[in-house]
Amino acid sequence: MASSSSRNGGTRGGSMRPISGANSSNLRSSSFKSRIPSSAPAPRRSSSGGDNGVPGRVRVAVRLRPRNADECVADADFADCVELQPELKRLKLRKNNWDTETYEFDEVLTESASQKRVYQVVAKPVVESVLEGYNGTVMAYGQTGTGKTFTLGRLGDEDTAARGIMVRSMEDIISGTSLDTDSISVSYLQLYMETIQDLLDPSNDNIAIVEDPKTGDVSLPGATHVEIRNQQNFLDLLHLGETHRVAANTKLNTESSRSHAILMVHVKRSVVEHEDSVSNETDNSSHFVRPSKPLVRRSKLVLVDLAGSERVHKSGSEGHMLEEAKSINLSLSALGKCINAIAENSPHVPLRDSKLTRLLRDSFGGTARTSLIVTIGPSPRHRGETTSTILFGQRAMKVENMLKIKEEFDYKSLSKKLEVQLDKVIAENERQLKAFDDDVERINQQAQNRISEVEKNFAEALEKEKLKCQMEYMESVKKLEEKLISNQRENGKRNGEVNGVVTASELAKLKESLEEEIKLRKAAEEEVNKLKSQSTLKTRSEEGEDAGISRLQKLLEDEALQKKKLEEEVTILRSQLVQLTFEADQMRRCLDRGAPGNSYSDTDSLPSRHSQARESVNGQKAPFATLCEQVGLQKILQLLESDDANIRIHAVKVVANLAAEEANQEKIVEAGGLASLLMLLRSYEDETVRRVAAGAIANLAMNEVSQQLIVDQGGISLLSLTAADAEDPQTLRMVAGAIANLCGNDKLQARLWSDGGIKALLGMVRCGHPDVLAQVARGIANFAKCESRATTQVYEGVKSGRSLLIEDGALPWIVQHANDEAAPIRRHIELALCHLAQHEVNAKEMISGGALWELVRISKECSREDIRSLAHRTLSSSPVFRSEIRRLGIHF
């Protein structure tokens, strides 16, 4: 593809090249209408300001739509009515087989031109001007069905390459602004039957146009303005607006727009304009810089998707559609008149003939940079409409606008800036004041320290002088004492000799006593050493004896422990033997008391029955079927109503074991056993009776006939009440198993749901026991499987569709335990998810509840091949799941 500059023959805003005379002479029979040279691109506004505008002509591009299926059939033998020369920016219109007219435009786009190419040559210069502060308008005009909405408003949800001018313009605006300092807001309107309606708020269906009496600017204060933060937010608004836009099916277009769509994008940008540095008058070497001026530039981008011009006899409009067509044609006609008047410099421009012309007064002859794209079709049947469209574009090329930047002084920004500077000055002043206070405090502290030091030095000098005086005094006293002692020695010399003799005799006595004490001490030490040696020998012998005794004690303890274990095992075995024997004897006695006229009550039969009980205790268990044949099923069922609690418990255990065999189930039901079991469940609060009765009902619920009888006799309600009252995990496991068996019957789905069976099943998860949770998961899987098999069902006025499991709030628990560590729970939950996903109406709630991720995981990681393939097949067949998977970018 050639670059944008080479296709335009230079820069976007450059003047158009005139056709030479040689070229014009070669056109012999064709007439030629030359283009009007375009003006130079609008430069940026200078920092000095000013209200003088920059001229900018309306740029017009023409786009040819390819033939549609109807035209390929109807016009197969006819050539297109137009011939494009994009490299010369020319269009030839065939009036007939020998005469053509040639027109030149700013851009000529063939039927193969991409949406990106159309945006770059038509709208991107306008968007760039809007980011610089100018107003801008991009408008699409043409016959109905020629691709105006495709060019301007295509969202491109499935193919990003098909995005139209609206989406691409917003992408460039968002990327060219800053969310911190700039703001973007959007209004989306439609002009329908000369009434301005808000596409973002359908209740706002009559918006008034307000004109500024000073500047003449047009505004719509009643329109909804939504601030845009990201591209997805903008796309959501476009989706919302498209759902409210009026469209109809005509002969020319299956989705013909019956209103003019107007998208207004308001851009507010903050800019800073710096002043030049100014020299100081007193010193040329020094200068200062004036503070920058905070400015706000407000610009507006108007994107207009005009409704298609049409001829009533071709579009087939009737009734209300005919009135719509009249309104459309009148507003387009008014727009054409205004363009003609502006192009011809007429003193009067009829802007007030239509609300469309009032809204676009700034686009034609105003201050906005305007680009117009006219769309045409190739069919020769619509040559008249194509000619009218081309002439409209040619007249629009003559319109000259004066581009102006709208900027104002940003008082709020300056005030905020000054507040910040003031805060800084105050903070600096406070800092300096604190530093001054710190300096004063430091000087005071230094003075105090110096005074303290002087006082300390004076005290030390005084103390030294005092010590010196004391020493001199002590020295004088010592000399006097020495003189006194010497005098005393001279006076008492004789007395000292006598005292010396006495002292020598006393010393001799002391020596003798000391030697005796030493001898006694040595003897005592020797005795102590002997005793220590004897004690050591004794201790060693005792230690050897203690080690032997410890070993013997350990052996005895091991023997005692082993003996104790053996005694405990023997005791347990004996107690089990006694208990089993007692139960067997008691059961026989119960049967004898329950049937006094029975032949089994004679004394001869008792030993044989007792021996059978002994055989069962010893490991050769007698079948309950044999017991039923010997005693009789009816007698056993009668014992269920016994007043004796022990008899009743033993009887219900026998019935539960009999119900475990399929051959006995019908017999028990026919004999009234089901009613008796339900009676026990209803009447007794004994946990053992309820547990065994629920187990017996669960066994009977494996038979389809019994399932119907359980439901008819109110069994679901009784099981639900038991599930709500019981706390024992084994009782809850039996109740959950019974309900899970009932969930597998397709015919009982509605009754099971209405009687509270599903809620009871979900309520039992409070127990948390793995066996109970496994039965709950099995019941949910059975119920979901039955729902998936039903194509059309009506449950007592509730039409099938949304899963009853989801109605009762089971989906969060299912998602939470979809990857449970316990294999039985995980397997049943994975099956339930796959079956729930087969209903398309459940898809959205499953996506919002997080079930989609679990389904993807199951399709990849499930250990069972059948569940893994079922999950993959379900995800592949659901359009909702496929769309969400594509949106999230999940590969499975």
Side-chain angles (χ1 to χ4, degrees):
M1 179 181 294
S3 65
S4 175
S5 59
S6 61
R7 281 184 172 273
N8 293 336
T11 60
R12 289 191 178 95
S15 60
M16 310 306 295
R17 294 173 299 172
I19 299 180
S20 62
N23 290 335
S24 60
S25 62
N26 291 334
L27 296 177
R28 291 194 184 111
S29 61
S30 62
S31 62
F32 170 74
K33 296 174 176 58
S34 61
R35 292 179 300 174
I36 298 175
S38 63
S39 64
R44 293 181 181 272
R45 186 183 182 273
S46 64
S47 59
S48 59
D51 296 332
N52 295 328
V54 177
R57 181 178 57 79
V58 174
R59 291 176 55 84
V60 180
V62 62
R63 187 180 191 184
L64 176 65
R65 171 184 58 78
R67 286 192 178 191
N68 53 35
D70 294 339
E71 292 172 349
C72 291
V73 175
D75 301 335
D77 297 333
F78 299 94
D80 293 347
C81 67
V82 293
E83 177 185 349
L84 303 183
Q85 295 178 338
E87 64 281 355
L88 300 176
K89 295 183 174 59
R90 294 179 184 173
L91 178 146
K92 289 185 177 182
L93 177 64
R94 293 189 179 92
K95 300 176 64 174
N96 46 49
N97 291 335
W98 57 87
D99 190 13
T100 62
E101 290 184 350
T102 301
Y103 301 91
E104 287 193 2
F105 290 92
D106 294 303
E107 289 291 341
V108 175
L109 302 168
T110 64
E111 62 271 20
S112 61
S114 65
Q115 292 282 76
K116 180 178 181 180
R117 166 70 176 164
V118 173
Y119 171 73
Q120 288 178 341
V121 302
V122 175
K124 189 168 185 177
V126 179
V127 173
E128 292 174 348
S129 297
V130 170
L131 292 174
E132 292 174 357
Y134 298 95
N135 289 342
T137 302
V138 178
M139 186 170 61
Y141 177 90
Q143 183 189 5
T144 181
T146 55
K148 298 181 300 301
T149 302
F150 176 84
T151 300
L152 205 66
R154 185 65 177 266
L155 300 182
D157 292 335
E158 298 179 356
D159 183 9
T160 57
R163 293 169 299 166
I165 290 176
M166 287 183 179
V167 179
R168 295 177 185 271
S169 299
M170 184 54 67
E171 288 179 353
D172 283 355
I173 290 175
I174 292 176
S175 63
T177 55
S178 172
L179 295 179
D180 298 331
T181 59
D182 305 334
S183 65
I184 307 170
S185 62
V186 166
S187 299
Y188 200 11
L189 314 168
Q190 70 172 355
L191 179 59
Y192 177 69
M193 301 285 289
E194 282 301 305
T195 301
I196 301 175
Q197 301 175 358
D198 197 334
L199 292 177
L200 302 181
D201 183 10
S203 61
N204 190 9
D205 57 358
N206 191 9
I207 301 174
I209 300 176
V210 178
E211 295 184 10
D212 190 335
K214 295 181 179 179
T215 62
D217 293 339
V218 175
S219 61
L220 301 171
T224 301
H225 290 264
V226 180
E227 187 173 355
I228 302 299
R229 306 296 297 177
N230 52 57
Q231 185 69 11
Q232 186 59 44
N233 186 10
F234 176 67
L235 291 176
D236 294 340
L237 291 178
L238 289 184
H239 279 291
L240 176 63
E242 288 301 320
T243 58
H244 298 146
R245 189 177 179 188
V246 182
N249 184 7
T250 66
K251 291 182 180 180
L252 297 178
N253 192 356
T254 57
E255 295 184 3
S256 177
S257 300
R258 313 306 292 170
S259 65
H260 306 298
I262 304 169
L263 177 69
M264 295 184 177
V265 182
H266 301 270
V267 180
K268 176 185 175 183
R269 303 196 66 189
S270 297
V271 295
V272 177
E273 189 168 316
H274 295 279
E275 293 288 347
D276 296 335
S277 60
V278 180
S279 300
N280 197 325
E281 295 179 357
T282 59
D283 187 2
N284 293 330
S285 61
S286 63
H287 62 276
F288 64 93
V289 180
R290 292 179 182 175
S292 58
K293 292 182 179 179
L295 302 175
V296 174
R297 289 182 178 176
R298 301 179 186 271
S299 56
K300 179 175 64 175
L301 175 63
V302 181
L303 302 171
V304 185
D305 180 13
L306 296 174
S309 60
E310 60 182 52
R311 296 186 178 179
V312 176
H313 69 277
K314 288 187 178 181
S315 63
S317 300
E318 297 178 353
H320 184 67
M321 289 178 58
L322 180 60
E323 297 299 322
E324 292 175 343
K326 290 180 180 179
S327 176
I328 292 170
N329 289 336
L330 284 174
S331 60
L332 293 177
S333 176
L335 179 62
K337 291 179 180 178
C338 290
I339 290 176
N340 286 341
I342 295 171
E344 295 173 0
N345 293 325
S346 175
H348 173 68
V349 179
L351 293 173
R352 295 189 172 273
D353 288 357
S354 171
K355 289 186 178 181
L356 177 63
T357 55
R358 294 179 66 189
L359 288 173
L360 298 178
R361 67 178 299 168
D362 193 44
S363 303
F364 294 96
T367 61
R369 180 182 291 275
T370 302
S371 286
L372 171 68
I373 181 169
V374 294
T375 57
I376 58 175
S379 176
R381 291 179 296 165
H382 305 301
R383 182 181 286 107
E385 290 84 348
T386 301
T387 303
S388 175
T389 300
I390 292 172
L391 293 177
F392 181 89
Q394 288 288 301
R395 289 191 296 271
M397 291 176 66
K398 300 178 182 179
V399 176
E400 190 88 11
N401 294 344
M402 296 299 292
L403 312 183
K404 294 181 181 180
I405 292 180
K406 294 185 177 181
E407 61 184 18
E408 58 190 26
F409 194 79
D410 191 357
Y411 291 98
K412 292 183 178 179
S413 176
L414 181 59
S415 175
K416 186 176 180 180
K417 184 177 180 181
L418 292 176
E419 287 178 359
V420 172
Q421 292 179 354
L422 180 61
D423 292 339
K424 289 182 179 179
V425 171
I426 293 173
E428 179 66 21
N429 187 23
E430 291 178 352
R431 187 187 65 79
Q432 292 179 358
L433 183 61
K434 187 176 183 302
F436 177 76
D437 293 340
D438 292 342
D439 291 340
V440 172
E441 184 177 358
R442 180 175 54 81
I443 294 171
N444 289 334
Q445 187 65 33
Q446 289 176 355
Q448 291 292 336
N449 294 338
R450 186 65 182 270
I451 293 172
S452 300
E453 185 178 356
V454 170
E455 291 177 349
K456 183 179 178 182
N457 294 335
F458 177 78
E460 289 177 354
L462 184 62
E463 187 68 24
K464 288 180 181 179
E465 191 67 24
K466 182 179 179 180
L467 288 174
K468 183 179 178 181
C469 293
Q470 288 178 355
M471 290 298 292
E472 291 177 351
Y473 172 77
M474 291 299 294
E475 192 71 26
S476 300
V477 172
K478 186 177 180 182
K479 289 178 179 180
L480 291 173
E481 287 178 351
E482 288 177 353
K483 288 181 179 180
L484 178 63
I485 290 171
S486 63
N487 293 330
Q488 288 177 355
R489 284 178 180 177
E490 291 176 357
N491 292 328
K493 210 176 233 186
R494 183 177 298 176
N495 294 331
E497 292 176 356
V498 175
N499 291 336
V501 174
V502 176
T503 303
S505 63
E506 288 178 357
L507 288 174
K509 291 179 181 179
L510 289 174
K511 283 182 181 180
E512 291 176 359
S513 63
L514 181 60
E515 288 176 356
E516 290 177 1
E517 290 291 335
I518 290 172
K519 290 178 181 178
L520 292 174
R521 182 177 178 183
K522 286 182 179 180
E525 288 179 354
E526 290 176 358
E527 187 68 23
V528 170
N529 291 332
K530 289 179 182 180
L531 292 175
K532 284 184 177 180
S533 62
Q534 292 175 2
S535 176
T536 303
L537 293 174
K538 187 177 180 179
T539 303
R540 289 178 181 175
S541 62
E542 288 178 354
E543 286 179 354
E545 292 174 359
D546 291 342
I549 292 171
S550 299
R551 286 194 297 271
L552 290 175
Q553 287 179 350
K554 187 175 182 182
L555 291 174
L556 289 174
E557 288 177 358
D558 293 341
E559 291 292 337
L561 183 60
Q562 187 175 4
K563 182 179 178 181
K564 186 177 180 181
K565 289 183 179 178
L566 292 173
E567 288 177 354
E568 290 177 354
E569 292 179 358
V570 171
T571 303
I572 293 171
L573 293 174
R574 284 178 180 175
S575 64
Q576 291 177 351
L577 178 62
V578 171
Q579 184 178 0
L580 293 173
T581 305
F582 174 74
E583 289 182 357
D585 292 341
Q586 189 178 16
M587 188 63 194
R588 297 301 178 184
R589 287 195 299 272
C590 292
L591 295 175
D592 292 342
R593 290 198 302 271
N598 197 306
S599 60
Y600 289 97
S601 65
D602 57 87
T603 58
D604 296 336
S605 61
L606 284 173
S608 62
R609 292 197 295 274
H610 186 69
S611 62
Q612 289 176 1
R614 290 290 186 185
E615 291 175 0
S616 66
V617 171
N618 294 330
Q620 305 294 328
K621 186 177 180 180
F624 286 93
T626 305
L627 179 64
C628 181
E629 292 175 359
Q630 291 176 354
V631 179
L633 178 61
Q634 196 64 38
K635 299 298 182 181
I636 297 174
L637 295 178
Q638 290 177 359
L639 295 178
L640 295 175
E641 302 177 2
S642 175
D643 296 332
D644 192 338
N646 293 327
I647 296 174
R648 191 166 56 248
I649 291 173
H650 289 291
V652 74
K653 287 182 179 180
V654 173
V655 175
N657 284 279
L658 289 173
E661 298 181 10
E662 187 176 356
N664 299 329
Q665 294 175 356
E666 293 185 4
K667 296 178 183 179
I668 294 173
V669 174
E670 292 174 357
L674 177 60
S676 299
L677 292 171
L678 292 174
M679 181 270 297
L680 289 176
L681 205 61
R682 181 186 299 109
S683 304
Y684 293 95
E685 297 181 356
D686 185 85
E687 194 67 32
T688 305
V689 174
R690 293 202 300 178
R691 180 176 68 252
V692 181
I697 294 173
N699 290 336
L700 293 176
M702 292 187 293
N703 184 282
E704 186 173 355
V705 177
S706 302
Q707 291 175 350
Q708 187 64 47
L709 291 174
I710 292 171
V711 174
D712 293 340
Q713 295 182 21
I716 297 176
S717 300
L718 289 174
L719 291 171
S720 300
L721 292 174
T722 305
D725 296 338
E727 296 296 336
D728 180 48
Q730 298 304 322
T731 303
L732 293 174
R733 181 174 67 88
M734 297 298 181
V735 175
I739 298 178
N741 290 336
L742 295 174
C743 287
N745 192 328
D746 297 346
K747 301 176 183 178
L748 304 179
Q749 299 284 294
R751 188 69 179 275
L752 188 66
W753 177 71
S754 61
D755 288 354
I758 300 301
K759 291 185 177 179
L761 200 64
L762 294 173
M764 285 184 280
V765 302
R766 71 184 186 277
C767 174
H769 196 279
D771 294 339
V772 178
L773 297 181
Q775 294 298 328
V776 173
R778 184 170 68 88
I780 290 175
N782 289 343
F783 197 92
K785 184 176 181 181
C786 292
E787 280 190 328
S788 67
R789 286 200 298 260
T791 54
T792 54
Q793 301 171 350
V794 178
Y795 298 147
E796 298 182 359
V798 181
K799 188 175 180 182
S800 174
R802 188 170 183 251
S803 172
L804 299 178
L805 289 172
I806 297 179
E807 291 282 350
D808 280 351
L811 185 60
W813 186 85
I814 293 174
V815 174
Q816 180 183 358
H817 289 78
N819 198 14
D820 198 277
E821 294 180 356
I825 300 175
R826 184 175 64 254
R827 175 168 52 85
H828 291 308
I829 293 299
E830 288 174 347
L831 278 172
L833 276 175
C834 293
H835 290 308
L836 284 175
Q838 293 181 4
H839 285 267
E840 193 70 17
V841 293
N842 298 335
K844 291 185 178 180
E845 291 194 46
M846 293 185 72
I847 290 172
S848 62
L852 175 60
W853 295 101
E854 294 298 335
L855 285 170
V856 174
R857 180 192 61 77
I858 294 169
S859 67
K860 294 180 180 180
E861 301 176 1
C862 183
S863 58
R864 288 184 48 173
E865 176 64 27
D866 55 341
I867 300 178
R868 192 163 63 249
S869 61
L870 178 61
H872 191 278
R873 186 167 61 254
T874 302
L875 290 174
S876 302
S877 60
S878 172
V880 178
F881 284 137
R882 290 201 309 271
S883 176
E884 184 67 12
I885 286 172
R886 283 195 303 270
R887 188 183 72 82
L888 296 175
I890 301 174
H891 301 283
F892 73 101

